[in-house]
Structures are given as structure tokens and as C-alpha cells.
Amino acid sequence: MCGIIGYVGKDSAAPILLDGLRRLEYRGYDSSGLAILNGSGMEVRKCSGRLQNLRTLVAGSPIKGSCGISHTRWATHGPPTDENAHPHLDNTGKLALVHNGVIENHQSLRNGLEKNGHTFRSQTDSEVLAHLIGDIFDKQTEGTAEMRLVDAVRKALRKVTGTYGIVVVHEDAPDFLVGARLGSPLVVGLGKGENFLASDVAAVISHTSDAIYLNDHDLVYMTGEDFKIESLDGGSVSFEVSRVEFTEEQVEMGDFPHYMLKEIFEQPDSILNAFRGRLSDEEASAKLGGLNLTPQQLREVDRIVLVGCGTASHAAMVGEYLIESLARIPTEVEIASEFRYRNLPLDKSTLIFVISQSGETIDTLAAMREGQRKGHRVLGIVNTVGSTIARESDGGCYLHSGPEIGVAATKSFTSQVTVLALLAILLGRMRHLSMAAGKQILQEIRELPDKVKTILEQSDRIRDIALKYLDAEGMLFLGRQFNFPTALEGALKMKEISYIFASGHPSAELKHGIIALVSEDLPSVFIAPSDSVLEKNISNIEEVKARKGPVIAITTEGNEEVARIADDVIYIPPVVECLSPILASIPLQLLAYHFSVAKGCDVDKPRNLAKSVTVE
Ligand code: M6R
């Protein structure tokens, strides 16, 4: 939610900031803006709408200067207007601020500042912070402008309740950036004669691969040559410089028209990366060293709680079926936003996993901290290296999927399920899972990338099916057992990028109310591979057909019975039942993608959404 980038160095700031914003646009795209110190003062350009609008504005009215800040917004307080776009200025117009997060006590702070003569230009919570810092700065008389600015940021943040990742500049302190974080990510990029502050390393990857991931309560100030990180109360903090793993090419679209399609097509590799080096043939098990748990500790686990949001919660649901069937450990899935506020009874032998692609989702992060506060070991299944969950969890596994930029999660889902399958095998092999069964599943995991390739080859056919149903008023997604979560994920993909009503259900639930919706205009997508519940699914397909409902079926190659009754069939290769969601989810991703493109929707930046949900 919101992307920020600041630059200080010798080069022209505007192109660097605009390029950085392009890489951060996935975080929010309601408005964008920049403020640059031009040597004699501050210049601001900002406007509502996509980044292209800001580019046009800057092209028509260029800004010189080599120190500046910029922002791409996902609106929380105040609609996406020009006035509400960041950066926000203080009362004097000499200080500019960009902010990611929510200032919860903004109204009382605003009231106080207004009483003291401040005039606000926007409806945002963020502008209050700019005024507050400026107000304190203006009242300071001792020290250099740079250190007065640092001090003002420090004092202002002590008055604030909420979350923030901020970067601040001031006309009186040219070539100087101040940043701080609490609850919203902020990364320092270290260059030669230039430094950066950004929400995500992707924004600075063209300039440097050396990054410092700031922690909550860290405050940083920097010139192009130097930087200092302290705690908000002025104490010293430890930090390490990390080498960014991914390359510039990985965050570009290449020859694909959309990030989502690129990421769907990356799945043979991303699934391979999720299990590479983690299969142990000798033990017919999986190796997950990052869990930081001894075999004895793993044997003592008698309950597992999997926590996540959105797609990650659907992967968790597949994980529940996997762990319960392979390891026989009672497992439950908790939506992070619910888990964090309920008092779930947990005992010492309960293991908690938080699952998150970004590693920054605020509810998942808060759920992790809540679990830790109660003395539990909380492990992370995370994609983004260096993210807050990756750093604060007590161990876990990376997905190694590479950056996922399309707002709709695709490759992260299949990698999350792959890692959960490895976890289930590991726990299973310490309990009841036989060596033969373990070996068979390992072999099936190895075969996944090639099987995914055969599904991707059907992309054009799936597009034709999508075009056939373009006038549908909505879509139902139905599946049983391991593929009930797949149905939920298929429905989420369809609604978030195509804006049509879609809902996922266990197939058998149809008769408990949902079947009332079935009509010629409402297609049902059945996930019905050749598995232990195929016959049951077929009965449910028949029930829909009997009521003239069109049926698109995902089934296993060679299944003629499903082909005979469904209107359209998409085949997946044969696969062991517990891994079938990995294959079955891919045609659903492609169906949603082609449907969305044909409808003219913005696939990578669907309305009202942002990739990383860092506000509650
Ligand atoms: O980064 P996370 O995995 O924590 O994100 C969780 C959800 O916000 C995310 O999966 C969201 O539901 C996707 N847009 C779904 O495609």
C-alpha cells in the first residue's frame, strides 16, 4: 500500500524517482507525485491517476535537482485527487513528506495544529505529519538545519499513533533525506556517491544491489556520501548490509504483455525453485533446515495453525488437507485479520506458520507478533527476502519464486502449496507416512514442472473458452477435498481482475442454497480431476447441467466421462491427489487472465487493489 522512494546524490533526481515509482506502482496507483530540491527551493509535481499522468506533468514542466522524494498512492484517507496526492508540504511549504501507513490520531493532531494557525490543503492523515514535523522544526533554533530536521522528525513521531514509512526533505537542508519506519517497510539503498530510501528494493535495483532493511523504530538520515541509522529515541542500532538476490531483468515484463502472464508462465521454474535442494531420496523425506527445529521438537508438534490472507490463506487450506492426510497432525487455517484479534487457545506443542508472499501484509505480520507475544514459535513461509516477516519470524522457508509484481498472486500460490507439501512429507515421515509413500510423493513433486508446461501450452485454448463466456453475469467455482481451496482461489482470481461476481464452494454445498443461482447465464467451473471424489463431483456437475447451467470442467487427461457432460474441458496431467491443486490452479489463473484481458480490464493493476496490503 503506497510506494515511496527518495534519492540523494549527484544525478538528476526526477528520472531516477520516476523509474523507481514505475517499479513500485504495484503497491498503489491512485495518484503519484514528487518533490525535488532544485538548489534554490522545492518544486512539487503531483496528480491523481496512473504514473503516466505524472510523467506527462514532469515532461511538460521539468525539474532540476539531485535530491528528492516521491510517492505512488493507494488511497486510505481522502479520495484519489490531486490535492491528496503525496508529497505533502508543511505550513511553510519548505518541508515535503511522503508517507506509507496510517496516522491514527491524525484528527486530534490536526485540530491542535489548526488552532495554532496551520492551514491544510488535503484530507489525508499524512499531511498532518508534514505540518507537525515542520512546526517543530520551525521552533528549533540550535544546531544545523540537517540536525534540526532529524530532531523534528524524531519529536513528531513520538506524538503519533499508527504506522509509517516516511521520507522527509527540507529546503534549508539541501542534499539531505530523513526517513523512519514503524509498521511499513523502508529500505536503504547504498550507491556510490548516492543513496536511496524506498519501500522495496525493486525501486533501486537499477542503481545498487546493496541494501539495508530497516527495522521498526529505526530512523535514518543521509547525504549522497554518508548515512546514519539510529533508533527513534537516539540510541544506536545494529544493521547489516544485504546483497539483493534478484536482478533487474526479473522485475521487468520482458516479452510478456502483463506481469501476471509472465508470472503464470514462470511456474515451471518457480515450483522447481521451491523444492530444489529440499528433497531427500535417502530418507524419502524433505529437508527444511530453515525451520530451526530439531527432529525431536518436530516430533512433539501435536497441532498446527496456518495463518495468512487472500491467496496465502487458500494455500494454507491446501496445507491443512496435506498435513492432516500425510502427517495426521490436526491443522487449522486462520485468516490473519481474525487470528490477531481473537484469543485462540494454543498450547506449547502448537506450531504456528504465517504464510505471505510479500512478507509485509500487516494482518499477517500482526498475527505473527501476537503468536510470539504469547510465547509461541512462529515460522514463516515467505517469498520476499529481507521482508519484515522473514526477519522477525523464528525460522521458516523461503519460496524462492522471484519477485511477484502482478497484483493477482499466481506463482506464489503454487510455490506455497509446494512448500507446504514438503512440510507435510517431513512431518509425515516422522510419524505414519511409509517410505514407499514418501518416495512416491517426492517423485510426483519432481515431475510437477514438466506437467505445468503441458498446461501452459493450452493457454490459447483456455483463452477461447474464456471468450465464449464473456457475457456471463458471474461464475461459480466448485471443487472437493484438496480442490475446495483451489475453487476458492479460482474465484478470487476471477473476481479481482475481471470484476465479475465469482464465488468458490465445496461442490456438495451446491444443494444447500447455491444451486438457486444456477442459470444459463451463470457458468460453473468444476475442478474435477480423476481422484477419490470424482464420482461425487460428476453427480454435482449433472445437477448443474440438469438446470441448464453451463459447465467448464478441469479434469485429468483421458477422463472422457467429465468431457461428455461438461460444455468445455481443460485437461491437466495425472498427478497424485494431494498435489492436484498445484496443477488445477494454473488453468484457473489462465482463465481469469484471458477473461480479464478480453474484458479490457487492467490485469496487473486491478481497481481498488494494491499488491502489498500494509494497512489494516
Ligand atoms: O503478500 P501476501 O501473500 O501476504 O498477500 C496476501 C493477499 O493480500 C494476497 O494473496 C491477495 O489476496 C492477492 N491479491 C490475491 O491474488
Side-chain angles (χ1 to χ4, degrees), residues 309-312 355-358 361 364 407-409 416 492-493 496 613:
C309 299
T311 289
I355 305 174
S356 174
Q357 186 287 129
S358 62
T361 300
T364 313
V407 165
Q416 284 160 350
L492 177 60
K493 287 297 86 98
E496 77 176 318
V613 182

Side-chain angles (χ1 to χ4, degrees), residues 8 32 72 265 328 341 463:
V8 54
S32 54
T72 178
F265 273 78
R328 317 288 308 145
Y341 291 118
R463 184 186 52 222

Side-chain angles (χ1 to χ4, degrees), residues 43-77:
E43 286 193 67
V44 179
R45 307 280 182 273
K46 59 181 190 174
C47 54
S48 59
R50 297 291 162 89
L51 182 59
Q52 187 49 43
N53 298 358
L54 180 65
R55 278 210 196 91
T56 309
L57 199 63
V58 174
S61 175
I63 322 180
K64 291 207 171 98
S66 53
C67 176
I69 58 176
S70 60
H71 187 273
T72 178
R73 177 170 188 245
W74 186 84
T76 58
H77 296 61

Side-chain angles (χ1 to χ4, degrees), residues 355-571:
I355 305 174
S356 174
Q357 186 287 129
S358 62
E360 299 292 350
T361 300
I362 193 82
D363 285 319
T364 313
L365 179 59
M368 179 184 76
R369 289 175 177 162
E370 182 62 18
Q372 289 171 326
R373 191 175 300 119
K374 291 181 174 156
H376 287 277
R377 193 187 284 266
V378 184
L379 305 175
I381 297 177
V382 172
N383 189 34
T384 307
V385 176
S387 59
T388 310
I389 294 178
R391 284 179 295 126
E392 289 188 18
S393 55
D394 302 302
C397 303
Y398 276 121
L399 301 179
H400 299 304
S401 310
E404 187 179 74
I405 292 167
V407 165
T410 50
K411 61 178 178 173
S412 61
F413 175 78
T414 48
S415 293
Q416 284 160 350
V417 175
T418 304
V419 166
L420 286 162
L422 299 181
L423 178 68
I425 295 167
L426 174 70
L427 295 168
R429 289 287 294 130
M430 292 175 164
R431 292 172 173 78
H432 315 280
L433 193 69
S434 71
M435 186 149 209
K439 274 198 170 145
Q440 192 218 335
I441 302 171
L442 291 193
Q443 185 50 32
E444 293 262 1
I445 289 178
R446 276 201 183 86
E447 291 171 9
L448 286 171
D450 283 340
K451 291 181 180 174
V452 170
K453 282 181 195 158
T454 69
I455 300 171
L456 296 174
E457 283 163 11
Q458 299 178 63
S459 180
D460 288 349
R461 223 183 78 67
I462 295 173
R463 184 186 52 222
D464 293 343
I465 295 174
L467 295 178
K468 188 171 156 189
Y469 294 98
L470 219 48
D471 293 331
E473 62 186 28
M475 246 180 232
L476 296 176
F477 290 77
L478 301 142
R480 283 172 177 260
Q481 297 292 297
F482 285 94
N483 286 303
F484 160 46
T486 316
L488 294 176
E489 179 57 9
L492 177 60
K493 287 297 86 98
M494 184 58 81
K495 63 190 149 198
E496 77 176 318
I497 61 171
S498 299
Y499 320 143
I500 65 161
F501 157 80
S503 63
H505 308 274
S507 311
E509 278 292 296
L510 267 176
K511 292 187 288 293
H512 299 282
I514 301 136
I515 204 161
L517 294 169
V518 167
S519 76
E520 282 170 4
D521 302 319
L522 188 87
S524 294
V525 181
F526 274 89
I527 301 112
S530 305
D531 60 11
S532 63
V533 285
L534 173 67
E535 297 310 321
K536 305 286 172 196
N537 263 323
I538 288 177
S539 302
N540 300 132
I541 295 175
E542 295 280 16
E543 288 156 9
V544 169
K545 289 301 304 169
R547 286 156 184 88
K548 297 196 167 53
V551 169
I552 303 166
I554 316 284
T555 192
T556 309
E557 284 164 8
N559 189 323
E560 285 167 18
E561 202 178 352
V562 170
R564 186 177 51 77
I565 50 174
D567 297 271
D568 291 283
V569 181
I570 304 167
Y571 286 111

Side-chain angles (χ1 to χ4, degrees), residues 206-219:
S206 337
H207 306 277
T208 179
S209 298
D210 292 328
I212 300 168
Y213 299 94
L214 295 181
N215 291 313
D216 278 352
H217 306 287
D218 280 356
L219 177 139

